[in-house]
């Protein structure tokens, strides 16, 4: 099935300057420029995926393709990288727009608040104002999605899916207790070895190492989009920096925003998720009994995009069916 999806569904890669930072956007479907597309068959809705951390968009391509296929190819599905998590390959054109906010206007662009501003800026400058939006957040992408709802009230978001949501008490979670000292206290000690070890490697060696890593994870080694950012020191430093802010800042659940937008929200928790344990799900069900809050029955891991992208895409498409039927293509 993966091979069929790969052959049938076009995926267009762009590197754009968003908030002054190189940003990778992977676009499923034939529509690549929604702003300037004035044709009668321009879609009226965009499905927008916000990744977890690391924000390596290429890992989400199988999920995006499966979702595009499950929604019958009627609407574009886009995946955006986090600011600082992707670098354009040498010779790759970086697109710019006169409407792009200057990076200096956004404080701490690589931090958690900066990543929220980064996504808001993209939606405001690269998506038509009247185009309806379905936002899908994964992991820390769920926190960012809620912040978009809070700070972008003008955006016509009709649904928001929060998959394995890390939206509270991250440092108290089982994985958070391990990650917090590493990314908050010891990450500086890792910067110099990372730069000294990885920076001198030529591209072909990095490519070989990435393929080996993918094989070890039982993933396809031949990706149509580069995963070399996994071994790019500046990207890894930004990944660690964002993780440190997650541990410090994602503490209290934003009940006010959740309550205001509850009718648009679907939460999907894992049964054995060490980033957002089952008790977080139970607390959500208790606090929002009328909400669409679900517990995984398929034993999916937190990183579902690696091996369960088809199953997740099928579920999301089923949840979206009624909403999409109301949106004329």
């Amino acid at each position: 099935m993966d091979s069929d999806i790969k052959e049938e569904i076009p995926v267009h890669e762009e590197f754009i300057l968003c908030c002054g930072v190189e940003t990778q956007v992977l676009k499923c479907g034939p529509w690549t420029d929604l702003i300037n597309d004035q044709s009668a068959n321009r879609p009226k809705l965009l499905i927008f995926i916000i990744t977890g951390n690391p924000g390596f968009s290429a890992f989400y391509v199988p999920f995006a393709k499966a979702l595009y296929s499950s929604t019958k190819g009627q609407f574009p599905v886009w995946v955006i990288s986090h600011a600082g998590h992707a670098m354009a390959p040498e010779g790759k054109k970086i697109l710019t727009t006169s409407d792009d906010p200057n990076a200096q206007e956004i404080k701490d662009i690589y931090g958690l608040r900066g990543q929220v501003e980064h996504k808001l800026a993209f939606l405001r400058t690269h998506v038509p104002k009247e185009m309806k939006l379905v936002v899908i957040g994964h992991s820390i992408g769920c926190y960012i999605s809620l912040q978009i709802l809070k700070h972008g009230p003008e955006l016509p978001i009709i649904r928001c899916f929060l998959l394995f949501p890390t939206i509270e008490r991250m440092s108290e979670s089982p994985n958070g207790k391990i990650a917090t000292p590493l990314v908050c206290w010891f990450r500086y000690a890792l910067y110099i070895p990372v730069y000294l070890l990885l920076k001198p490697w030529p591209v072909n060696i990095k490519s070989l190492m990435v393929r080996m890593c993918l094989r070890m994870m039982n993933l396809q080694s031949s990706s149509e989009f580069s995963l070399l950012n996994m071994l790019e020191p500046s990207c890894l430093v930004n990944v660690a920096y964002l993780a440190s802010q997650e541990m410090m800042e994602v503490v209290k659940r934003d009940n006010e925003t959740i309550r205001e937008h509850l009718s648009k929200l679907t939460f999907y928790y894992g049964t054995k998720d060490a980033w957002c344990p089952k008790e977080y799900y139970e607390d959500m069900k208790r606090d929002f009994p009328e909400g669409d809050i679900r517990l995984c029955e398929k034993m999916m891991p937190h990183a579902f995009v690696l091996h369960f992208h088809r199953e997740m895409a099928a579920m999301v498409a089923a949840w979206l069916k009624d909403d999409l039927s109301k949106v004329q293509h």
Side-chain angles (χ1 to χ4, degrees):
M1 184 174 176
D2 280 341
S3 60
D4 293 340
I5 291 174
K6 186 178 292 186
E7 290 172 6
E8 295 174 4
I9 299 174
V11 181
H12 177 71
E13 178 187 44
E14 285 183 356
F15 279 87
I16 63 169
L17 210 61
C18 184
C19 304
V21 177
E22 291 180 23
T23 303
Q24 184 188 42
V25 184
L26 299 175
K27 303 179 175 183
C28 254
W31 309 278
T32 59
D33 187 355
L34 295 176
I35 285 286
N36 295 311
D37 182 358
Q38 301 300 323
S39 65
N41 65 345
R42 187 183 78 176
K44 293 181 170 60
L45 179 142
L46 168 67
I47 299 174
F48 188 66
I49 299 173
I50 303 175
T51 73
N53 183 20
F56 299 148
S57 304
F59 279 123
Y60 289 78
V61 169
F63 172 60
K65 284 184 173 182
L67 185 56
Y68 179 86
S69 178
S70 297
T71 52
K72 297 180 170 47
Q74 292 183 304
F75 305 100
V77 181
W78 290 5
V79 188
I80 188 171
S81 70
H82 292 315
H85 292 206
M87 290 181 61
E90 189 175 350
K92 181 77 173 180
K93 184 179 179 181
I94 300 174
L95 305 177
T96 59
T97 172
S98 58
D99 296 331
D100 179 45
N102 192 299
Q104 279 68 40
E105 295 178 4
I106 296 180
K107 184 180 178 182
D108 194 14
I109 183 67
Y110 302 125
L112 190 54
R113 178 62 192 163
Q115 297 291 357
V116 173
E117 294 291 340
H118 174 256
K119 309 306 177 290
L120 282 168
F122 177 85
L123 291 172
R124 287 166 175 162
T125 56
H126 293 273
V127 180
K129 290 180 173 59
E130 69 278 8
M131 182 165 286
K132 291 180 172 57
L133 292 166
V134 170
V135 176
I136 300 175
H138 172 227
S139 194
I140 196 60
C142 300
Y143 176 92
I144 294 172
S145 298
L146 286 176
Q147 291 298 302
I148 287 173
L149 286 170
K150 181 176 183 178
H151 296 285
E154 79 284 2
L155 296 173
I157 298 172
I158 63 169
R159 285 296 297 277
C160 185
F161 296 95
L162 307 182
L163 310 178
F164 302 93
T166 52
I167 57 174
E168 61 174 309
R169 295 176 281 175
M170 281 195 69
S171 64
E172 297 177 27
S173 68
N175 277 356
K177 291 176 181 178
I178 299 170
T180 298
L182 292 176
V183 297
C184 293
W185 306 335
F186 300 130
R187 76 174 195 275
Y188 301 102
L190 299 175
Y191 286 173
I192 294 177
V194 165
Y195 270 98
L196 291 177
L197 179 64
L198 297 181
K199 195 65 176 175
W201 286 8
V203 172
N204 59 339
I205 296 298
K206 289 182 179 179
S207 181
L208 175 63
M209 293 300 295
V210 167
R211 289 198 300 271
M212 291 175 61
C213 288
L214 292 177
R215 277 198 293 269
M216 290 172 62
M217 293 189 290
N218 195 27
L219 298 172
Q220 288 183 328
S221 59
S222 55
S223 174
E224 59 210 288
F225 303 107
S226 174
L227 283 165
L228 291 179
N229 292 315
M230 290 171 58
L231 297 178
E232 181 58 46
S234 61
C235 294
L236 294 176
V237 165
N238 289 329
V239 165
Y241 176 62
L242 177 58
S244 70
Q245 291 214 336
E246 293 172 31
M247 298 307 129
M248 293 184 292
E249 296 184 22
V250 182
V251 179
K252 186 178 179 181
R253 189 201 315 141
D254 188 353
N255 287 340
E256 183 178 347
T257 298
I258 292 172
R259 189 170 292 109
E260 180 180 351
H261 299 280
L262 190 61
S263 62
K264 301 177 181 179
L265 295 171
T266 294
F267 296 83
Y268 191 77
Y269 285 85
T271 47
K272 294 184 178 180
D273 188 345
W275 283 113
C276 40
K278 189 178 177 181
E279 66 186 82
Y280 292 11
Y281 158 80
E282 293 167 348
D283 292 345
M284 277 290 296
K285 288 287 286 185
R286 182 194 66 232
D287 295 343
F288 298 98
E290 71 279 25
D292 186 11
I293 303 162
R294 303 168 183 250
L295 186 66
C296 177
E297 298 177 351
K298 301 177 183 292
M299 297 299 291
M300 291 189 195
H302 185 85
F304 74 90
V305 291
L306 299 182
H307 298 291
F308 288 86
H309 52 272
R310 289 189 298 273
E311 293 86 346
M312 182 63 80
M315 282 197 301
V316 172
W319 300 336
L320 263 178
K321 188 175 181 180
D322 289 343
D323 296 284
L324 297 185
S325 66
K326 300 172 186 175
V327 179
Q328 292 182 350
H329 176 57

